[in-house]
Amino acid sequence: MICAPEHKILPVIYQKDKVKSVKKETVVASLANKLTEIVGAAFEACGLPPELGRVAVSDRQDLAQFQCNGAMAAAKQAKKNPREVAQAVIEVLQSRKEFSKIEIAGPGFINLNVTDEYLAAHLASVAGDARLGVDRTAKAETVILDYGGYNIAKPLHVGHLRSTIIGDAINKIMKTAGHKTISDVHFGDWGTQMGIVISELEIMHPEWPYFDEAFAKEYPKESPVTIADLDRIYPEASKACKENEVRLEKAKAATRALQGGHRGYRALWQHFVDVSVADVKKNLATLNVDFDLWDGEASANPSVKPIVDDLKAKKLAFESDGALVMAVAKNDDNKEMPPLILYKSDGAVMYGTTDLATIFDRMQKYKPAKIIYIVDQRQSLHFEQVFRAARISGAAPNDVELLHTGFGTMNGTDGKPFKTRAGGVMKLEDLISMGVEKARARLAEADLAQDMGAAEREDIAHKVAIAAIKFADLQNNRTADYVFDIDRMTSFEGKTGPYLLYQAVRIKSLLRKAAEQGFKPGKTFILQDADKTLALLLTELPDAFDGALRNYTPHLLCDYAYRLATAFSSFYAACHILSEADEALRASRLALCEITQRQLELVLGLLGIGVPERM
RNA sequence: GCGCCCGUAGCUCAGCUGGAUAGAGCGUUGGUUUCCGAAGCCAAAGGUCGCAGGUUCGAAUCCUGCCGGGCGCGCCA
């Protein structure tokens, strides 16, 4: 059933990636957040808006640990002197025991330090929390995540990497926040590329039973083509179609027939799907990525006709230049908004139609509060059309959020669309094996690898390669184009995945040695200067998590993990830990190490990066 | 033509709802292992934040205009 449309005035419900969600989804427990409550209350006590009492980690660590800039904003509103406003606030704060320093600086910054006792108590609560301070959302929702989008009969290439690993990270982040996520790989399995391959095979093998209209028996169970065949056939056939009008017509006819239910084509198509899915699963296994749903465009096919019939009945769909379309433009549009094509003039459907039908199906089956598409930015107009069509048709009620989280085009180091030396696109498995090969070589140099078995060494090489590849990509937030640099992708030094693994592994090694010597991490903290820098950073995890969750930006977690790793590395270089003679200090430092290790592993896990025991 | 995105160090990029001295990595230069993993650590050099206005006590961040680049704009996905 399809609800009555409201096509006159369409609310802009879809959101651009940049639009920030206003509502706070998690109750975070970072130290800055706790302080925000305290300072916010102080603002309120002074008759000022409490939301101006927001406390953040200071960007001048030489001056203070935390800062609040709200006094200046409050002064502006109230037309008062900012330093006087700040003065009133800090007089209220003087009674609080949490602070060891409260100062007004510059035009009206409120600079704050917390007492060691308060910081230590906070750390103890973080250490005692299995989630390390990351709280669950108060409002769990069902969310469908649409990413991957691999094509049947086309090999996975490096261009698929972004959607896959960003989608996977967002999935893990939302799941950890407590949402019920459903990931759908949404294969491209119903468009012209299928007709291209089918028609090519018909030309090559007209004797096959799939092409025999009179054939009434069961088709062979075994696929007549392998994934390697498909990898080769598609580019050739695609080229032929571009060069030859008649050849293209054959492909289109095959597409239409497939969609229309041609028995032999459907049987052949199922073979393509089976061999392609098997290949995709193999690739995803190396990336350690999985999906809940293995649907595709074709999955929505049964819903297409009822939806289109309904639109026709409501006079929302009409013929235009031989095609059946629906208008999605609005009066206040500031750009041309082409109609959504439901049926091409040749009678075949395109991905807009299947995307619309897919939204309808998803609403019926899962009733999600949100559907998020992690797809190339260049698809933004397409999604805008589809989202509008979903509102108009009633497929998605207005309170369901439809969101396109786009990312940029992959370019080479020359700034032009990425191509291999051979001129093609690099296959994903080739990229991964290059990374693994480099990791293997690096491991062979290391003394540590001597006593490892072959299996462990392979496992480590794989983990290092995956960490390198994923981190190199995920740390970049650009919604615009990005540069694909193979050397950077498989680099192990500096701000890289392997660097993060290295720090985590070093801590694990340290903790193992501590256990051997009977040293245990303490429950209390002794915070000398070198310890304090790391300790303060360890209170920030919920902020990083919350930011990544709200804005669908895993790179905020990359940034946190990297800052944590470098902070630990400095701490490690500056402080004695196992060799520390003072037992209490040693236990405190071991506890810092342990929290760091757990946070690193948690964050890396959210990014889809696994940590080995040694490397 | 219309629309979207982008322009920050030699290169690749962070910089969240405007805040104090704009940060990383790579690359360059110099130090660092008789102590827990040197895939490390410490330090130096390197930036008129594309340009010009505007709003503001305060702008890389917000607004306007320009310049430069990428992408999209009905029967591919």
Side-chain angles (χ1 to χ4, degrees), chain A residues 449-522:
Chain A
Q450 303 295 331
D451 63 327
M452 287 180 193
E456 184 180 4
R457 210 177 301 196
E458 268 310 288
D459 178 58
I460 291 167
H462 185 254
K463 283 197 167 88
V464 168
I466 294 302
I469 290 167
K470 286 188 176 178
F471 191 83
D473 199 318
L474 285 171
Q475 67 169 306
N476 183 350
N477 181 42
R478 310 192 91 202
T479 51
D481 301 347
Y482 66 104
V483 172
F484 176 83
D485 182 347
I486 187 80
D487 290 329
R488 196 158 65 104
M489 275 251 161
T490 57
S491 163
F492 303 158
E493 267 123 52
K495 191 175 182 180
T496 64
Y499 172 84
L500 299 180
L501 293 190
Y502 178 74
Q503 301 306 342
V505 162
R506 211 152 61 147
I507 304 173
K508 284 189 180 190
S509 168
L510 188 75
L511 293 172
R512 274 196 302 269
K513 288 199 168 113
E516 283 164 18
Q517 294 175 44
F519 298 160
K520 283 183 185 149

Side-chain angles (χ1 to χ4, degrees), chain A residues 178-224:
Chain A
H179 293 294
K180 177 178 165 40
T181 64
I182 301 168
S183 57
D184 181 3
V185 68
H186 203 70
F187 277 109
D189 60 3
W190 209 230
T192 307
Q193 83 270 25
M194 303 314 310
I196 289 174
V197 178
I198 290 171
S199 56
E200 184 73 6
L201 288 172
E202 185 157 16
I203 292 165
M204 290 163 67
H205 305 284
E207 74 284 3
W208 283 5
Y210 308 97
F211 309 122
D212 179 0
E213 300 295 336
F215 190 80
K217 289 180 284 187
E218 288 234 340
Y219 293 107
K221 284 219 160 52
E222 195 74 8
S223 173

Side-chain angles (χ1 to χ4, degrees), chain A residues 352-562:
Chain A
T353 317
T354 56
D355 275 350
L356 175 61
T358 299
I359 291 174
F360 178 81
D361 285 354
R362 284 172 176 167
M363 290 313 303
Q364 301 300 305
K365 279 189 203 163
Y366 307 108
K367 301 227 179 318
K370 287 181 192 172
I371 304 176
I372 303 173
Y373 296 81
I374 297 115
V375 180
D376 192 315
Q377 192 64 54
R378 286 175 296 184
Q379 300 294 329
S380 62
L381 178 59
H382 163 75
F383 282 113
E384 198 165 339
Q385 289 178 281
V386 170
F387 293 169
R388 289 183 181 201
R391 306 297 185 199
I392 295 169
S393 67
N398 287 343
D399 61 348
V400 173
E401 189 179 350
L402 302 173
L403 182 67
H404 173 210
T405 296
F407 51 84
T409 312
M410 183 182 68
N411 288 333
T413 46
D414 57 358
K416 292 173 185 159
F418 177 76
K419 291 268 159 50
T420 58
R421 281 197 200 89
V425 281
M426 180 179 285
K427 289 177 74 174
L428 189 52
E429 52 183 300
D430 292 341
L431 170 67
I432 294 168
S433 26
M434 284 166 84
V436 172
E437 188 48 51
K438 266 191 85 171
R440 242 185 239 133
R442 180 70 188 81
L443 213 47
E445 293 169 21
D447 294 338
L448 260 172
Q450 303 295 331
D451 63 327
M452 287 180 193
E456 184 180 4
R457 210 177 301 196
E458 268 310 288
D459 178 58
I460 291 167
H462 185 254
K463 283 197 167 88
V464 168
I466 294 302
I469 290 167
K470 286 188 176 178
F471 191 83
D473 199 318
L474 285 171
Q475 67 169 306
N476 183 350
N477 181 42
R478 310 192 91 202
T479 51
D481 301 347
Y482 66 104
V483 172
F484 176 83
D485 182 347
I486 187 80
D487 290 329
R488 196 158 65 104
M489 275 251 161
T490 57
S491 163
F492 303 158
E493 267 123 52
K495 191 175 182 180
T496 64
Y499 172 84
L500 299 180
L501 293 190
Y502 178 74
Q503 301 306 342
V505 162
R506 211 152 61 147
I507 304 173
K508 284 189 180 190
S509 168
L510 188 75
L511 293 172
R512 274 196 302 269
K513 288 199 168 113
E516 283 164 18
Q517 294 175 44
F519 298 160
K520 283 183 185 149
K523 301 264 188 238
T524 55
F525 295 88
I526 297 168
L527 301 168
Q528 299 184 350
D529 286 351
D531 306 70
K532 214 178 280 184
T533 307
L534 178 60
L536 282 166
L537 187 54
L538 287 168
T539 71
E540 292 185 40
L541 173 62
D543 290 329
F545 181 85
D546 193 49
L549 174 68
R550 284 208 322 273
N551 304 315
Y552 311 104
T553 48
H555 88 285
L556 293 179
L557 287 173
C558 290
D559 186 60
Y560 180 73
Y562 180 69

